[in-house]
């Protein structure tokens, strides 16, 4: 009898040992009223795409790297999800009314319905003007109410994951901190109070002295992540200064002190998009420094793609050319027609507000250098269907210089070759057709006059005069 009991116990132990450990999440659901073809699930170094069938349903098995918060993206809509291995989760959403319709059922639904309700409750702060125009005491009461409602939601959850509950409660603190931080930024703007400063003690000491070194909070709290990025970027751009063309690796040394790898990757990706630029003679050393800092292969790949695109646009390289662009005064013009002169190219469009704001400054610079060996060329990248609008605006605003229209808008070879993905963009080319600056200063920037005087030798000429 005793031997039989031992045998049964041994079999029981073996059965427990053989029971498979679930290391995946099953995610399925239905998306209504959407032309989107995929559901995207993202976390650091985890990116998964699920195809949506013709009837709007989808289903897949996700072998997530770790339990925790993930991003759910369906078209332009995004929300936060909490996924843990073993979940069997189903969602339903109407893309036309995303936040109000998102619901979950199944294993893992408790946590994710809380997150959906929390996102919906945050709509109280969606009217930015009204929300941030409140005086300090009213604003603090408003965010206290939001926090209390979320605490009540957490208290009412049944069978929620303990780890989730602990994180979710701490995240409410970070939410408060972000509200307070953005109030300082936005209250003065919305109430038109110049140089607004909050009263003493409005910002909690914990927030003022926060060290952004909590990698878990960075993953789980959007508010903490936003605060960390904003604070770090503020410090970074203060060290860099206003002249992005003069940045050196010395200006980036503070990157070494960033303790959260994901934060460092995000900062490098953002800063790199500005300074891995052909307008900076230090582009290659900046690229090498930043790629040595990152741990994300995706960020490194994006920086490398940017560098490869820009490395042939540095000073002294032959400029890409435009050929047979329509000239507002009649006929067609190519860059080759302007050989022998400096050419300052303004890439703009009639719908671009910042472009139009540069027009008065551009006229002033044109007038200042009208007797010099330089041609000011404004190249519109309006669509062909807007040709009449372009033609009329040139007349109405009495635009000077040479007014051209690109042959294929954004897809024009010249625009593509210069990697232009935002306008206005200004380019300076020398009389031999070589690049002086692929990202030259704007007309409103005094550095443009300095650059033109230097290139045209005006300073030297004036010094030689008696």
């Amino acid at each position: 009898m005793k031997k039989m009991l031992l045998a049964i116990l041994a079999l029981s132990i073996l059965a427990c040992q053989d029971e498979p450990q679930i290391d995946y999440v099953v995610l399925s659901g239905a998306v209504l009223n959407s032309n989107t073809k995929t559901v995207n699930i993202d976390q650091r170094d985890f990116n998964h795409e699920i195809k949506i069938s013709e009837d709007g349903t989808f289903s897949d098995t996700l072998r997530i790297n770790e339990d925790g918060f993930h991003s759910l993206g369906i078209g332009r809509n995004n929300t936060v999800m909490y996924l843990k291995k073993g979940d069997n989760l189903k969602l339903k959403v109407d893309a036309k009314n995303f936040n109000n319709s998102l619901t979950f059922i199944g294993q893992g639904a408790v946590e994710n319905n809380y997150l959906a309700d929390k996102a919906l409750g945050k709509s109280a702060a969606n009217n930015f003007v009204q929300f941030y125009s409140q005086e300090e005491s009213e604003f603090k009461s408003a965010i206290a109410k939001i926090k209390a409602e979320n605490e009540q939601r957490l208290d009412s959850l049944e069978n929620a994951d303990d780890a989730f509950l602990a994180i979710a409660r701490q995240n409410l603190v970070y939410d408060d901190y972000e509200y307070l931080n953005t109030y300082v930024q936005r209250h003065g703007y919305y109430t038109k109070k110049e140089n607004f400063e909050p009263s003493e003690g409005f910002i909690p000491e914990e927030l003022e002295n926060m060290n952004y070194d909590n990698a878990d909070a960075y993953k789980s709290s959007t508010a903490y992540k936003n605060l960390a990025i904003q604070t770090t970027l503020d410090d970074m751009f203060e060290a860099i200064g206003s002249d992005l063309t003069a940045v050196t690796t010395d200006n980036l040394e503070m990157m070494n002190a960033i303790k959260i790898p994901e934060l460092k990757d995000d900062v490098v990706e953002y800063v790199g998009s500005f300074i891995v630029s052909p307008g900076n003679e230090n582009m290659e050393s900046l690229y090498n420094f930043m790629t040595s800092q990152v741990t994300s292969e995706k960020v490194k790949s994006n920086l490398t793609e940017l560098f490869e695109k820009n490395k042939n646009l540095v000073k002294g390289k032959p400029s890409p050319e435009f050929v047979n662009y329509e000239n507002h005064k009649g006929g067609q013009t190519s860059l080759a027609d302007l050989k022998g002169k400096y050419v300052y190219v303004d890439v703009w469009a009639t719908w671009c507000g910042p472009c139009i704001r540069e027009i008065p400054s551009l006229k002033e610079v044109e007038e200042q250098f009208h007797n010099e060996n330089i041609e000011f060329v404004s190249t519109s990248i309006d669509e062909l269907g807007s040709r009449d609008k372009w033609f009329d605006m040139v007349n109405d605003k009495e635009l000077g210089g040479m007014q051209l229209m690109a042959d294929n808008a954004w897809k024009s070879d010249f625009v593509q070759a210069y990697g232009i993905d935002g306008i206005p963009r200004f380019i300076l080319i020398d009389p031999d057709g070589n690049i002086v600056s692929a990202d030259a200063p704007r007309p409103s920037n005094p550095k443009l006059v300095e650059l033109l005087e230097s290139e045209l030798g005006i300073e030297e000429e004036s010094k030689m005069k008696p």
Side-chain angles (χ1 to χ4, degrees):
M1 185 68 178
K2 188 173 183 180
K3 289 181 180 179
M4 186 179 295
L5 289 173
L6 289 172
I8 292 172
L9 180 60
L11 288 172
S12 177
I13 292 172
L14 286 172
C16 292
Q17 289 176 338
D18 291 339
E19 186 176 334
Q21 295 296 313
I22 299 177
D23 62 351
Y24 56 84
V25 172
V26 176
L27 180 64
S28 60
V31 182
L32 307 177
N33 297 315
S34 176
N35 294 323
T36 301
K37 303 298 183 184
T38 59
V39 174
N40 297 288
I41 309 296
D42 297 308
Q43 195 192 50
R44 176 174 169 79
D45 295 329
F46 178 84
N47 308 102
H48 191 79
E49 189 177 272
I50 307 174
K51 291 184 179 179
I52 301 175
S53 63
E54 290 296 325
D55 64 359
T57 61
F58 66 91
S59 181
D60 207 346
T61 299
L62 312 178
R63 296 194 178 277
I64 59 177
N65 294 333
E66 57 183 347
D67 295 352
F69 291 81
H70 293 67
S71 172
L72 166 70
I74 301 176
R76 295 184 178 182
N77 294 302
N78 285 276
T79 192
V80 176
M81 291 184 68
Y82 183 78
L83 299 177
K84 59 184 185 299
K85 294 170 184 176
D87 282 351
N88 190 336
L89 192 60
K90 297 180 180 179
L91 71 85
K92 184 176 182 180
V93 66
D94 185 336
K96 291 185 177 180
N97 193 15
F98 190 86
N99 287 337
N100 285 289
S101 65
L102 182 61
T103 55
F104 298 86
I105 61 172
Q107 181 65 36
V110 172
E111 295 85 357
N112 285 290
N113 280 325
Y114 162 80
L115 292 174
D117 289 342
K118 182 186 175 188
L120 186 60
K122 197 176 181 181
S123 61
N126 281 348
N127 186 335
F128 276 14
V129 177
Q130 180 180 343
F131 188 67
Y132 287 103
S133 293
Q134 298 177 99
E135 295 304 317
E136 290 181 9
S137 59
E138 296 172 330
F139 183 79
K140 283 195 168 182
S141 295
I143 63 174
K145 181 181 178 182
I146 293 172
K147 183 179 180 181
E149 289 172 349
N150 286 319
E151 288 176 332
Q152 186 175 2
R153 290 188 182 102
L154 284 174
D155 291 339
S156 66
L157 297 185
E158 295 182 2
N159 301 318
D161 182 67
D162 289 339
F164 170 83
L165 290 172
I167 295 170
R169 291 188 189 282
Q170 179 58 47
N171 285 354
L172 296 180
V173 177
Y174 296 138
D175 291 345
D176 265 9
Y177 288 168
E178 185 183 24
Y179 280 132
L180 293 170
N181 192 60
T182 51
Y183 180 87
V184 174
Q185 299 167 356
R186 295 170 179 166
H187 181 74
Y189 176 79
Y190 288 126
T191 58
K192 304 187 186 310
K193 296 177 183 176
E194 293 185 12
N195 304 316
F196 168 75
E197 292 289 340
S199 61
E200 186 177 351
F202 178 79
I203 300 296
E205 187 176 341
E206 295 84 354
L207 174 55
E208 286 187 336
N209 299 324
M210 185 176 291
N211 294 317
Y212 294 98
D213 55 8
N214 188 331
D216 290 334
Y218 194 82
K219 294 177 184 177
S220 66
S221 169
T222 302
Y224 183 94
K225 180 177 181 177
N226 291 341
L227 286 166
I229 291 175
Q230 184 65 58
T231 302
T232 307
L233 286 177
D234 286 347
D235 293 343
M236 181 67 66
F237 279 105
E238 185 175 348
I240 287 174
S242 59
D243 187 0
L244 297 183
T245 64
V247 178
T248 70
T249 54
D250 290 341
N251 300 120
L252 306 181
E253 281 299 319
M254 66 170 294
M255 285 183 178
N256 290 312
I258 301 175
K259 295 182 179 179
I260 304 174
E262 294 90 341
L263 172 58
K264 182 179 288 190
D265 289 343
D266 288 337
V267 168
V268 167
E269 184 169 37
Y270 185 80
V271 173
S273 68
F274 290 97
I275 65 174
V276 179
S277 163
N280 191 314
E281 294 182 359
N282 305 307
M283 180 177 69
E284 185 169 1
S285 62
L286 293 169
Y287 162 74
N288 289 332
F289 176 83
M290 286 191 289
T291 51
S292 72
Q293 293 282 317
V294 298
T295 57
S296 167
E297 289 302 319
K298 181 180 179 181
V299 173
K300 187 177 293 187
S301 175
N302 289 342
L303 278 177
T304 299
E305 181 180 347
L306 183 62
F307 174 73
E308 291 295 326
K309 181 174 69 175
N310 288 335
K311 70 180 183 181
N312 290 322
L313 298 174
V314 295
K315 185 175 182 178
K317 293 281 188 178
S319 171
E321 297 200 11
F322 56 81
V323 179
N324 294 335
Y325 279 9
E326 179 184 358
N327 191 316
H328 187 270
K329 291 183 178 179
Q332 296 178 326
T333 300
S334 301
L335 181 61
D337 299 333
L338 305 175
K339 274 277 181 79
K341 288 186 175 184
Y342 280 92
V343 181
Y344 182 70
V345 182
D346 167 17
V347 182
W348 73 295
T350 59
W351 46 261
C352 170
C355 302
I356 294 170
R357 287 196 290 273
E358 288 294 328
I359 289 175
S361 298
L362 180 58
K363 288 182 176 181
E364 290 179 6
V365 176
E366 288 174 355
E367 177 62 26
Q368 183 175 349
F369 291 90
H370 76 282
N371 288 327
E372 303 298 335
N373 186 38
I374 183 169
E375 191 77 52
F376 291 89
V377 178
S378 295
T379 302
S380 164
I381 58 169
D382 281 283
E383 297 289 343
L384 184 60
S386 299
R387 186 243 178 219
D388 290 345
K389 183 178 180 181
W390 161 72
F391 197 89
D392 292 341
M393 182 176 285
V394 172
N395 289 331
D396 294 343
K397 292 189 175 291
E398 299 178 339
L399 302 185
M402 183 178 290
Q403 298 293 327
L404 307 179
M405 187 168 187
D407 58 354
N408 195 17
W410 287 103
K411 295 181 181 178
S412 300
D413 289 345
F414 182 78
V415 175
Q416 294 286 309
Y418 268 103
I420 298 173
D421 53 15
I423 53 174
R425 174 74 171 269
F426 300 91
I427 300 162
L428 183 62
I429 302 166
D430 73 14
D432 295 321
N434 297 321
I435 297 169
V436 176
S437 176
D439 192 7
R442 296 185 177 197
S444 58
N445 186 341
K447 289 188 176 295
L448 174 60
V449 171
E450 294 177 15
L451 174 62
L452 296 182
E453 287 181 338
S454 174
E455 287 295 323
L456 292 164
I458 294 174
E459 292 177 326
E460 288 76 5
E461 290 176 5
S462 62
K463 289 177 183 177
M464 293 173 65
K465 291 179 181 179

